[in-house]
């Protein structure tokens, strides 16, 4: 009883906290928020991680600080707001219904994401916990009927466990772990990105295409990396390709372990490194490889870091140039470019993340900024005050990289999927609905579980012609663009050159297409690098097994007398024509001699038998 009472007070606190006024400092309670008839939740990585800080519990624990601003994550958030505003201004979607939103920063961390998700859950449980006996706290506060997010698979997995308990639909725009395909475990989880199961097959196909058989495999130690690399290993086994080194990494790995891993990579004879990891997780290793100037490796990037601003830096290109990565198919969002350029602290009262974005973009502080106060106290480096007249179009920032909208487009599709489900509820005909006895849900009192039911029956074509379905067993088509990291001759920046594509659901089956002439390997080489455990055996030799080594590693043994091999890489030698002819003559002679002997013996035996019956003379 005490636990139940405590839970009721705690959820009451979360609701009041979630709807308090604008908070004046940047921190865990920062959000983008706007009221509406129906409320959508959002989870985005506005920061790449959290500061490492020991909590000795000598005093009340403080909330962990988020660090390293993520400009792309902010653009993804802006995509959600843009889609909602576009729907609210449309006469075709949800007339007389206004969508609102509450969007939080996950800081790319499970704990921060769960903090935000608790506020989504709390309001949905208010009625069942009868909090009105304590206060009238539910008036005019709509429940969160669906959540867009999160980004990383590890974060989405934790959020899905929580939201699934309350049947709150969750649509991720970037979580591709194949574990999340388990509809029994993650019953309210959906996504607008293909599962990694296909990507693992695609990367294996790339390795096979270039005839490499000796590779290094690296993966994030989480729900994204582990299943991805497991599927990759299976594909390698079936293609007779060997993995020399297989390791798990994390952005929080200590420097000594990073150095040991870099040592192992340098000592390996494998030249191809396949990586299933996020940008923050692979960044520490890349920094160490850059420090060592290890330039003779070929990096294969999963979509989670193939275009990451943390790794795709001009100063890293001497080591990372030539990287081959998988990128999601890009979509087009009309009007989004202009929307991004309109961002300004004075015009964004509903979006508290804009202030920090402005300060990070222009390296200045706005008036009344908590950072400005810290700077005056000497706790941070000094920056000038922002004038508010800075021109966003005058700076180079990942935020304005709208030429290839991939994750941003997935966010856009997720919001429209929810809107389409709500539209289907609004236009439902009594007797033909999805609920008991064909009834329809009331759009003015719609609940999360009803939206989830409607989403499970959703089936529509998005603006780039892909079918979006969320029913059991359905996954989005795996269509990837293959990119190659080049250095721009104009300014030295990283250019993602499209060199091919991979389609898992092609009419004629899975299809890989690569234009080798467009690929520049590290060092601007055009010839395909070598990454095999052993050199191919020359004619006149065959492959020999080396005890204790994988099948990809072998020694070349000369053919025995009378045997030959007339091309490279044979498993066994063949008899030469001359030897076969000589052997044939010997066999013929042996057969002939044997036949003559048998014939002679037959005559003698016959004569012997005949003499036994001859009459005496």
């Amino acid at each position: 009883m005490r636990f139940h009472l405590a839970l009721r007070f705690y959820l009451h606190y979360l609701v009041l906290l979630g709807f308090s006024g604008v908070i004046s400092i940047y921190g865990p309670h920062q959000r983008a928020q706007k009221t509406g008839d129906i409320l959508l939740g959002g989870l985005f990585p506005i920061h790449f991680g959290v500061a490492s800080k020991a909590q000795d519990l000598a005093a009340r624990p403080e909330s962990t600080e988020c660090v390293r601003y993520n400009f792309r994550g902010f653009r993804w958030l802006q995509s959600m707001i843009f889609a909602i505003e576009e729907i609210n201004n449309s006469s075709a979607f949800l007339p007389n219904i206004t969508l609102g939103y509450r969007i939080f920063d996950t800081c790319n961390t499970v704990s921060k994401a769960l903090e935000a998700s608790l506020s989504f859950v709390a309001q949905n449980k208010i009625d069942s916990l009868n909090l009105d006996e304590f206060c009238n706290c539910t008036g005019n506060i709509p429940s969160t009927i669906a959540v867009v997010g999160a980004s990383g698979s590890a974060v989405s997995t934790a959020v899905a466990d929580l939201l699934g308990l309350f049947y709150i639909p969750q649509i991720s725009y970037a979580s591709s772990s194949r574990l999340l395909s388990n509809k029994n475990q993650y019953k309210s989880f959906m996504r607008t990105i293909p599962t990694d199961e296909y990507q693992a097959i695609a990367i294996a196909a790339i390795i096979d295409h270039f005839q490499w058989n000796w590779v290094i495999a690296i993966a994030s130690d989480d729900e994204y990396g582990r299943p991805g690399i497991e599927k990759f290993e299976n594909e390698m086994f079936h293609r007779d390709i060997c993995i020399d080194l297989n390791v798990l990494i994390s952005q929080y790995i200590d420097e000594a372990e990073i150095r040991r891993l870099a040592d192992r990579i340098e000592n390996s004879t494998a030249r191809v490194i396949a990586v299933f990891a996020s940008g923050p997780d692979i960044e520490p290793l890349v920094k160490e490889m850059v420090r060592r100037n290890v330039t003779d490796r070929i990096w294969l990037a999963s979509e989670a870091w193939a275009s990451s601003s943390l790794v795709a830096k001009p100063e890293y290109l001497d080591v990372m140039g030539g990287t081959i990565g998988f990128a999601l198919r890009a979509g087009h969002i009309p009007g989004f470019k202009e929307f991004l350029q309109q961002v300004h602290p004075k015009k964004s009262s509903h979006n508290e993340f804009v202030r920090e974005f402005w300060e990070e973009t222009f390296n200045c502080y706005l008036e009344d900024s908590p950072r400005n106060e810290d700077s005056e106290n000497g706790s941070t480096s000094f920056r000038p005050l922002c004038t508010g007249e800075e021109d966003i179009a005058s700076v180079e920032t990942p935020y304005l990289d709208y030429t290839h909208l991939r994750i941003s487009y997935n966010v856009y599709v997720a919001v429209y999927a929810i809107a389409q489900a709500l539209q289907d509820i609004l236009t439902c005909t009594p007797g033909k609905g999805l609920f008991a006895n064909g009834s329809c849900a009331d759009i003015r009192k719609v609940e999360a579980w009803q939206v989830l039911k409607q989403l499970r029956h959703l089936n529509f074509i998005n603006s780039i012609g892909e079918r979006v379905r969320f029913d059991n067993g359905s996954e989005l088509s795996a269509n990837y663009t293959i990119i190659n990291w080049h250095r721009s001759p104009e300014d030295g920046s990283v250019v993602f050159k499209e060199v091919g594509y991979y389609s898992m659901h092609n009419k004629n089956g899975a299809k890989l297409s690569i234009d080798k002439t467009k690929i520049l390997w590290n060092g601007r080489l055009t010839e395909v690098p070598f990454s095999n455990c052993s050199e191919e055996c020359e004619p006149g030799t065959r492959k020999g097994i080396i005890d204790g080594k994988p099948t990809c590693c072998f020694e070349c043994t000369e053919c025995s007398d009378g045997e030959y091999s007339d091309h490279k890489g044979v498993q066994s030698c063949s008899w030469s024509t001359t030897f076969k002819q000589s052997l044939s003559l010997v066999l013929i002679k042996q057969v002939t001699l044997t036949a003559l002997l048998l014939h002679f013996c037959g005559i003698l035996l016959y004569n012997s038998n005949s003499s036994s019956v001859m009459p005496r003379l």
Side-chain angles (χ1 to χ4, degrees):
M1 179 64 183
R2 289 181 179 178
F3 172 77
H4 183 68
L5 185 61
L7 178 63
R8 292 157 72 179
F9 274 115
Y10 180 59
L11 291 177
H12 177 207
Y13 163 76
L14 285 173
V15 174
L16 293 179
L17 178 66
F19 289 91
S20 61
V22 174
I23 297 173
S24 61
I25 61 172
Y26 306 139
H29 306 300
Q30 193 178 3
R31 74 202 63 182
Q33 178 173 298
K34 192 173 184 178
T35 59
D37 301 315
I38 296 175
L39 206 62
L40 306 188
L43 296 172
F44 294 88
I46 309 303
H47 294 85
F48 283 113
V50 295
S52 178
K53 184 177 181 181
Q55 300 280 7
D56 60 7
L57 301 182
R60 180 186 295 275
E62 297 179 355
S63 183
T64 310
E65 180 187 1
C66 298
V67 296
R68 296 193 296 168
Y69 197 82
N70 182 3
F71 290 93
R72 292 179 70 213
F74 180 65
R75 169 157 46 86
W76 302 342
L77 177 150
Q78 289 284 77
S79 178
M80 178 174 176
I81 294 177
F82 174 79
I84 289 175
E85 291 188 2
E86 190 175 64
I87 292 167
N88 285 339
N89 294 327
S90 170
S91 58
F93 267 106
L94 304 173
N96 301 319
I97 299 290
T98 301
L99 296 182
Y101 53 83
R102 295 179 68 221
I103 306 174
F104 292 91
D105 180 10
T106 67
C107 302
N108 201 37
T109 306
V110 168
S111 59
K112 292 296 181 184
L114 289 178
E115 282 182 28
S117 299
L118 279 172
S119 67
F120 299 147
V121 169
Q123 183 58 39
N124 286 64
K125 298 304 293 178
I126 289 294
D127 294 337
S128 62
L129 293 176
N130 295 320
L131 287 181
D132 282 336
E133 67 184 82
F134 297 99
C135 70
N136 184 20
C137 56
T138 62
N140 302 318
I141 302 178
S143 299
T144 302
I145 55 90
V147 175
V148 176
S151 174
S153 295
V155 175
S156 279
T157 299
V159 172
D161 282 331
L162 177 60
L163 297 184
L165 292 174
F166 305 99
Y167 297 93
I168 301 174
Q170 171 191 358
I171 304 182
S172 173
Y173 46 83
S175 299
S176 53
S177 172
R178 64 190 181 95
L179 296 182
L180 288 164
S181 297
N182 187 336
K183 302 297 183 182
N184 292 324
Q185 184 172 357
Y186 306 108
K187 49 184 173 289
S188 68
F189 177 83
M190 291 152 279
R191 54 185 161 194
T192 55
I193 185 174
T195 172
D196 275 331
E197 184 160 351
Y198 303 131
Q199 189 173 188
I201 298 172
I203 294 180
I206 286 277
I207 293 172
D208 207 2
H209 176 81
F210 289 112
Q211 298 181 351
W212 297 319
N213 72 2
W214 193 230
V215 302
I216 294 170
I218 299 175
S220 293
D221 189 10
D222 58 22
E223 285 79 358
Y224 169 73
R226 289 192 299 268
I229 212 68
E230 179 185 351
K231 179 63 177 179
F232 176 73
E233 290 171 351
N234 292 336
E235 284 297 311
M236 293 292 96
F237 175 78
H238 291 305
R239 295 171 187 264
D240 293 325
I241 300 172
C242 302
I243 297 176
D244 178 41
L245 179 61
N246 193 343
V247 292
L248 298 175
I249 59 172
S250 166
Q251 63 175 307
Y252 302 110
I253 192 172
D254 60 64
E255 293 183 4
E257 193 168 350
I258 282 291
R259 289 194 294 270
R260 286 193 293 270
L261 173 56
D263 287 339
R264 296 173 68 189
I265 293 175
E266 279 197 279
N267 294 330
S268 172
T269 56
R271 293 294 178 263
V272 172
I273 307 174
V275 183
F276 282 83
S278 64
D281 283 344
I282 191 62
E283 182 192 20
L285 175 61
V286 170
K287 281 185 175 180
E288 178 63 19
M289 300 300 281
V290 170
R291 188 186 69 80
R292 299 182 181 209
N293 196 31
V294 180
T295 61
D296 60 344
R297 296 298 192 272
I298 305 110
W299 297 80
L300 301 182
S302 64
E303 52 78 26
W305 72 278
S307 58
S308 171
S309 58
L310 287 178
V311 185
K313 296 181 176 180
E315 58 267 34
Y316 293 170
L317 271 181
D318 287 343
V319 169
M320 303 304 294
T323 293
I324 293 180
F326 285 81
L328 302 173
R329 283 183 60 181
H332 178 59
I333 307 177
F336 189 47
K337 171 183 176 181
E338 293 74 19
F339 178 81
L340 292 177
Q341 293 176 332
Q342 291 171 3
V343 65
H344 195 280
K346 295 180 181 179
K347 301 177 182 178
S348 307
S349 60
H350 298 291
N351 190 346
E352 296 171 20
F353 298 108
V354 172
R355 292 176 61 85
E356 186 179 4
F357 162 77
W358 199 263
E359 293 178 345
E360 291 296 324
T361 300
F362 296 105
N363 195 30
C364 61
Y365 289 127
L366 293 161
E367 287 189 85
D368 301 324
S369 168
R371 294 185 175 184
N372 189 37
E373 295 171 4
D374 290 341
S375 178
E376 292 174 354
N377 294 329
S379 61
T380 63
S381 60
F382 287 98
R383 291 181 181 180
L385 282 173
C386 305
T387 65
E389 302 301 323
E390 292 83 4
D391 182 9
I392 190 66
S394 67
V395 294
E396 289 289 335
T397 168
Y399 169 74
L400 290 180
D401 183 13
Y402 40 70
T403 52
H404 298 290
L405 298 176
R406 306 182 194 278
I407 300 299
S408 298
Y409 181 75
N410 286 353
V411 174
Y412 184 77
V413 172
V415 174
Y416 265 87
I418 298 169
Q420 183 62 59
L422 293 171
Q423 179 74 9
D424 292 342
I425 290 174
L426 178 65
T427 59
C428 175
T429 302
K432 297 182 179 180
L434 300 177
F435 306 99
N437 301 317
S439 62
C440 301
D442 184 350
I443 192 65
R444 294 290 177 180
K445 300 178 181 178
V446 68
E447 296 184 49
W449 66 271
Q450 294 172 317
V451 178
L452 176 60
K453 176 74 170 179
Q454 201 72 48
L455 281 167
R456 286 177 176 174
H457 287 76
L458 197 65
N459 188 344
F460 72 102
I461 304 295
N462 63 21
S463 61
I464 61 173
E466 291 180 332
R467 182 170 297 279
V468 180
R469 298 172 57 193
F470 299 124
D471 55 328
N472 290 337
S474 66
E475 296 283 356
L476 265 67
S477 298
N479 297 309
Y480 299 102
T481 298
I482 301 173
I483 58 176
N484 185 218
W485 289 16
H486 292 199
R487 186 187 295 274
S488 170
E490 286 81 17
D491 57 8
S493 62
V494 182
V495 176
F496 303 120
K497 179 74 172 180
E498 294 188 5
V499 296
Y501 67 88
Y502 182 86
S503 178
M504 190 67 192
H505 297 294
N506 189 274
K507 292 181 180 179
N508 299 321
K511 185 175 182 180
L512 171 67
S513 176
I514 297 179
D515 187 346
K516 294 182 181 179
T517 63
K518 293 182 179 179
I519 296 179
L520 284 181
W521 305 101
N522 205 350
R524 296 185 178 273
L525 302 176
T526 56
E527 183 179 351
V528 178
F530 180 84
S531 186
N532 295 61
C533 186
S534 302
E535 294 275 358
E536 289 289 4
C537 295
E538 295 294 329
T541 63
R542 63 174 178 81
K543 295 180 180 180
I545 297 173
I546 302 177
D547 290 339
K549 290 286 187 178
T551 56
C552 301
C553 305
F554 48 83
E555 58 185 3
C556 297
T557 306
E558 291 187 359
C559 296
S560 303
D561 290 340
E563 295 182 330
Y564 80 104
S565 62
D566 57 3
H567 58 277
K568 288 185 175 183
V570 298
Q571 298 283 352
S572 59
C573 299
S574 304
W575 286 337
S576 66
T577 303
T578 304
F579 181 77
K580 286 192 288 187
Q581 290 175 346
S582 300
L583 181 62
S584 298
L585 290 174
V586 171
L587 289 175
I588 291 172
K589 289 178 181 179
Q590 288 179 341
V591 170
T592 302
L593 180 59
T594 302
L596 289 173
L597 288 174
L598 290 174
H599 181 68
F600 179 72
C601 290
I603 293 173
L604 292 177
L605 180 61
Y606 176 78
N607 290 338
S608 173
N609 291 335
S610 299
S611 61
S612 64
V613 295
M614 289 179 64
R616 295 181 180 178
L617 298 176

